[in-house]
Amino acid sequence: MFSKILIANRGEIAVRIIKTARRMGIATVVVYSEADADSLAAEMADETVFIGPAPAAQSYLVADKIIAACRETGAQAVHPGFGFLSEKAEFAQRCADEGIVFIGPNPHAIEAMGDKIESKKFAAAAGVSCVPGHIGEIQDVAHAVRISEEIGYPVMLKASAGGGGKGIRVAWGRKDVEEGFPAVRAEAKGAFGDDRIFIEKFIESPRHIEIQVLGDKHGHVVHLFERECSIQRRNQKVIEEAPSPLLDEATRAAMGAQAVALAQAVGYDSAGTVEFVAGQDKSFYFLEMNTRLQVEHPVTELITGLDLVEQMIRVAAGEPLGFEQKDLKINGWSIESRIYAEDPYRKFLPSIGRLVRYDPPVEGAADGYVVRNDAGVREGDEISMFYDPMISKLATWAPTRGAAIAGMGRALEDFHIEGLNHNVPFLAAVMDQERFKSGQLATSYIADEFPDGFAGLEPTPFQADVMTAAATYMHRTLAARARRVGNGLSGPLSRTEWVVAVGKAKRPVKLSDLEDGLTVELPGEERTLRLSTIDWRPGLPLFRGELDGAAFTVAVEPAGEGFVIRHRAAKARVLVLTPLSAELHDRLPEKKKADTSRLVISPMPGLVVSMDAAAGQTMREGEVVCVIEAMKMQNIIRAEREGVVKAVNAKAGDSVAADEVLVEFA
Ligand code: ADP
Ligand code: ADP
Ligand code: MG
């Protein structure tokens, strides 16, 4: 076994690898860029080596620097994590030439499988069923249009070197190909340093199901069952689970056998993933093989009890697999949510910044479920524009799918982040959807269920009760305190009759104190709520309690005379009013929102790649106004309505801030 390994990665995956190495008694070296000098991974590692500026092309992607760091520290092996150098055959070969063990598959397997065009050729030859398309490189826009028309729309333009949902565009017609081809090519060049593009048929509304395989250097290959990753946005996985609610034993065995056969055919000797798109009828087609550890590997670990990083290290060191296929079993169910720094309320645009507060749910066994949170950040850290905008991966395990989903809902309630926008409310919305709970998944799920984007949800009756109870308790506590410290608020504490406004809905309530909480009588509804087991004091951003015995956590922010309370996807302004002020409140005029429909506003901080609008020009609805690059993604900003351009305030090459006015219409 190795005594020291180097981790050629950053963030949560570097932390994840350190944890396993440490458990195995292996010392770790972490390389870091300027942006990561103070990172958690660098802090946890036994040794660190600085490898240059923040852009990955000048640090994490420079093989020479990684090799030099191994030499300098005497690391015997390199774990590449995912992304960066993990799927570069040249790098794996280079390690072998230098006498350093690459903790991943052999270079031949990466070469054959790591590239989408090559792997399709290989899989087709090995008899694996593939998505129909043009297995070859596309030269230019004209070529792209010709091939797309041969295949028949809709088609998918894909970067051969792509990964993580980047470098992919669906085209429904010629215009999409003409526009998308240059964009996808630029994105591929920027993100992967390789601009080869191919085209395949776009399968509408499929499911994404992938098989985890594991091989050793002695010719053994097993599969560790499937993961379903159908909940995606822009072809990027958002929620994953294992096993898949679609598969039956026979389909699972058939997919597993194909994946193992493919892995065996390339002499696969590490952890890898064979991805398929599957029809609702359980037909399946090979998509690609990822010759590395996958972001969503925790769900497989949670249902198999195996540590995939440990297995990768063991097989890299030459150990044979310690088990056979028949020894492996699925135990329970696991769900993973990717917590991203993005604003779900504003088209999921990246939201970089500092984690002013970062308080994830406690890991380990909770009430009927288990929580695991893989993160590479701490409170105070920055999510920068240089790398993936993922904050953490939150996973739950339980004996059944229903309990794992319920656990995820609760774990998301307990996740507190301030300083940047995040997708926790959106993830919670999905956990609460009947369609998700029933397992009717498809890669179009988010587009189907949120066709107009995400605007949060109205409180359900239970949520309105939770907000009412929490607000009355907080109001009472704050009033009692104000009275004690003698600043203002002299109203009678003994008042028991109030009106609680949750958003626009008002309800009279009658309060009485309990030893461990409060009862809230709802005279209009002839019901009484019982709030107990309260964990909150003034200043805390999370309020935990039980309502009629059901545990909940809400996020609270003071807002004027009241609070803004969020429970999962529902957020409302909540006021606790006296009956008289409630009446006055009804007569206050509503504030009007400013009209911003004539403005094109930068939805995120980024770089203007092109400005396609000019003053005086008439633009049609949907016409491209400009292209902004942020987080390595090219975002096309389109005119929301027809109009004449009055002013253009940015040009190509400019850096723009979020909310900056780019273009004004007359
Ligand atoms: P898939 O590629 O099938 O979507 P994943 O969801 O596991 O599989 O995505 C992993 C991909 O995402 C990597 O290949 C890489 O392109 C990108 N990626 C994810 N995390 C990182 C990271 N920390 N650093 C660099 N790239 C990353
Ligand atoms: P990446 O390397 O970025 O993961 P993939 O080829 O795995 O690229 O595709 C990412 C996602 O895009 C898949 O999970 C699937 O949802 C969708 N997808 C890819 N190819 C197709 C296709 N031909 N038809 C329909 N959806 C597809
Ligand atoms: Mg993929």
Side-chain angles (χ1 to χ4, degrees):
M1 189 40 68
F2 313 114
S3 55
K4 190 191 278 188
I5 64 172
L6 182 139
I7 299 161
N9 215 303
R10 60 176 303 284
E12 61 89 12
I13 195 60
V15 170
R16 158 80 192 82
I17 297 166
I18 292 171
K19 284 183 182 163
T20 289
R22 182 170 289 169
R23 194 170 48 70
M24 295 173 75
I26 302 170
T28 51
V29 182
V30 155
V31 291
Y32 67 95
S33 73
E34 259 162 28
D36 291 329
D38 301 317
S39 71
L40 178 60
E43 182 190 290
M44 286 175 66
D46 297 306
E47 284 171 75
T48 56
V49 179
F50 174 67
I51 50 161
Q58 298 168 50
S59 49
Y60 295 106
L61 282 167
V62 185
D64 285 343
K65 293 189 178 178
I66 307 297
I67 300 290
C70 290
R71 290 263 163 278
E72 187 187 321
T73 57
Q76 301 138 321
V78 176
H79 198 305
F82 40 70
F84 302 136
L85 294 169
S86 62
E87 291 181 280
K88 301 252 185 293
E90 255 174 52
F91 178 69
Q93 185 58 55
R94 174 78 193 279
C95 288
D97 295 345
E98 303 268 351
I100 298 163
V101 177
F102 179 76
I103 304 174
N106 64 77
H108 165 74
I110 302 180
E111 184 98 52
M113 290 291 112
D115 180 273
K116 290 185 211 241
I117 294 177
E118 293 310 311
S119 75
K120 277 191 193 200
K121 287 182 182 162
F122 196 94
V128 175
S129 82
C130 293
V131 182
H134 176 79
I135 308 183
E137 192 182 338
I138 301 293
Q139 301 309 327
D140 50 29
V141 174
H143 189 202
V145 169
R146 186 156 50 75
I147 294 294
S148 301
E149 279 163 18
E150 271 171 36
I151 298 170
Y153 295 109
V155 298
M156 217 166 193
L157 314 178
K158 278 191 181 181
S160 194
K166 295 186 177 110
I168 284 188
R169 279 279 195 295
V170 181
W172 298 89
R174 187 190 184 116
K175 187 167 160 274
D176 294 342
V177 176
E178 287 169 352
E179 237 177 64
F181 183 76
V184 92
R185 199 168 210 186
E187 202 171 296
K189 181 93 192 160
F192 314 110
D194 177 341
D195 66 358
R196 286 170 309 128
I197 306 298
F198 70 101
I199 304 184
E200 66 188 17
K201 181 86 186 158
F202 175 63
I203 306 202
E204 290 181 60
S205 211
R207 299 171 76 128
H208 174 117
I209 299 180
E210 57 187 34
I211 303 283
Q212 174 72 53
V213 296
L214 181 62
D216 64 16
K217 293 188 199 283
H218 307 276
H220 307 114
V221 180
V222 296
H223 71 83
L224 305 180
F225 315 107
E226 78 279 6
R227 291 182 288 258
E228 175 150 10
C229 317
S230 296
I231 309 296
Q232 309 184 341
R233 216 178 52 73
R234 293 171 73 158
N235 305 306
Q236 182 149 6
K237 299 162 184 166
V238 180
I239 297 168
E240 301 103 341
E241 62 185 289
S244 158
L246 181 74
L247 297 198
D248 50 45
E249 273 312 320
T251 315
R252 176 171 295 129
M255 282 179 99
Q258 269 209 25
V260 168
L262 181 61
Q264 237 143 12
V266 280
Y268 204 80
D269 52 359
S270 185
T273 295
V274 181
E275 298 192 328
F276 296 92
V277 283
Q280 303 294 343
D281 60 358
K282 299 177 190 162
S283 60
F284 55 88
Y285 304 97
F286 171 70
L287 210 51
E288 63 162 340
M289 179 165 187
N290 292 327
T291 56
R292 53 164 162 86
L293 187 67
Q294 200 94 337
V295 172
E296 58 275 18
H297 74 277
V299 293
T300 298
E301 297 186 326
L302 285 164
I303 61 154
T304 58
L306 288 169
D307 178 332
L308 280 168
V309 172
E310 178 187 339
Q311 294 301 323
M312 288 178 85
I313 294 173
R314 290 195 182 285
V315 296
E319 287 184 20
L321 290 180
F323 41 81
E324 292 171 41
Q325 192 67 53
K326 65 173 171 45
D327 302 324
L328 298 165
K329 267 192 210 59
I330 296 177
N331 174 28
W333 213 286
S334 179
I335 312 259
E336 177 183 273
S337 295
R338 299 193 190 190
I339 316 285
Y340 282 116
E342 61 186 16
D343 188 348
Y345 302 101
R346 291 174 70 192
K347 300 184 181 167
F348 298 94
L349 290 158
S351 174
I352 53 189
R354 197 166 291 285
L355 290 163
V356 174
R357 297 193 77 149
Y358 172 77
D359 187 12
V362 179
E363 291 187 273
D367 188 12
Y369 57 98
V370 173
V371 177
R372 167 171 170 180
N373 185 50
D374 285 39
V377 293
R378 306 153 292 203
E379 194 161 278
D381 285 354
E382 204 177 343
I383 304 290
S384 80
M385 61 183 286
F386 296 107
Y387 313 108
D388 253 49
M390 198 161 72
I391 301 170
S392 88
K393 304 185 309 207
L394 179 65
T396 53
W397 177 93
T400 63
R401 184 168 188 268
I405 293 172
M408 178 60 72
R410 288 284 296 127
L412 288 166
E413 287 178 24
D414 278 324
F415 213 126
H416 181 65
I417 297 169
E418 275 177 41
L420 42 75
N421 295 303
H422 55 80
N423 63 342
V424 167
F426 174 75
L427 295 165
V430 175
M431 293 304 139
D432 280 340
Q433 280 180 324
E434 285 313 316
R435 177 171 167 196
F436 182 74
K437 289 189 218 173
S438 73
Q440 307 294 303
L441 312 183
T443 57
S444 58
Y445 185 97
I446 293 178
D448 297 345
E449 298 300 315
F450 302 91
D452 305 316
F454 176 71
L457 300 176
E458 286 301 315
T460 60
F462 171 73
Q463 290 176 320
D465 288 349
V466 161
M467 291 176 184
T468 300
T472 50
Y473 181 87
M474 291 189 289
H475 183 84
R476 261 170 110 78
T477 308
L478 290 169
R481 188 162 88 149
R483 160 173 289 243
R484 260 201 325 275
V485 299
N487 58 349
L489 273 181
S490 54
L493 245 194
S494 52
R495 173 185 285 286
T496 57
E497 285 175 27
W498 298 88
V499 173
V500 178
V502 175
K504 289 204 176 81
K506 292 199 182 66
R507 284 192 295 188
V509 300
K510 213 173 148 195
L511 306 181
S512 39
D513 286 309
L514 288 174
E515 204 172 301
D516 66 335
L518 196 65
T519 57
V520 184
E521 204 182 309
L522 301 168
E525 299 160 46
E526 297 185 356
R527 289 193 301 140
T528 300
L529 309 174
R530 192 177 184 288
L531 177 66
S532 61
T533 340
I534 296 158
D535 174 11
W536 179 81
R537 57 191 157 73
L540 289 187
L542 293 185
F543 183 115
R544 296 192 173 88
E546 284 182 17
L547 189 72
D548 298 331
F552 71 85
T553 308
V554 291
V556 295
E557 278 169 62
E561 295 291 287
F563 313 92
V564 170
I565 303 185
R566 180 176 68 78
H567 182 259
R568 301 197 177 193
K571 194 163 152 178
R573 176 130 197 228
V574 185
L575 293 168
V576 181
L577 305 162
T578 61
L580 181 64
S581 61
E583 222 173 284
L584 293 174
H585 196 257
D586 280 338
R587 300 196 202 127
L588 291 179
E590 261 186 67
K591 257 198 221 152
K592 281 223 178 67
K593 274 200 184 149
D595 180 14
T596 54
S597 63
R598 288 175 199 289
L599 307 177
V600 177
I601 288 172
S602 174
M604 72 211 117
L607 182 76
V608 180
V609 177
S610 71
M611 173 53 74
D612 302 286
Q617 184 187 351
T618 303
M619 295 202 113
R620 283 170 291 116
E621 183 190 330
E623 212 172 322
V624 177
V625 174
C626 60
V627 178
I628 296 192
E629 190 178 283
M631 303 253 186
K632 294 184 186 159
M633 300 274 279
Q634 303 231 336
N635 299 275
I636 300 178
I637 315 290
R638 293 170 191 277
E640 280 180 23
R641 53 150 79 165
E642 190 178 297
V644 178
V645 177
K646 192 171 97 184
V648 174
N649 305 331
K651 58 180 189 313
D654 286 357
S655 291
V656 292
D659 291 333
E660 201 165 313
V661 176
L662 303 172
V663 169
E664 293 169 48
F665 281 85

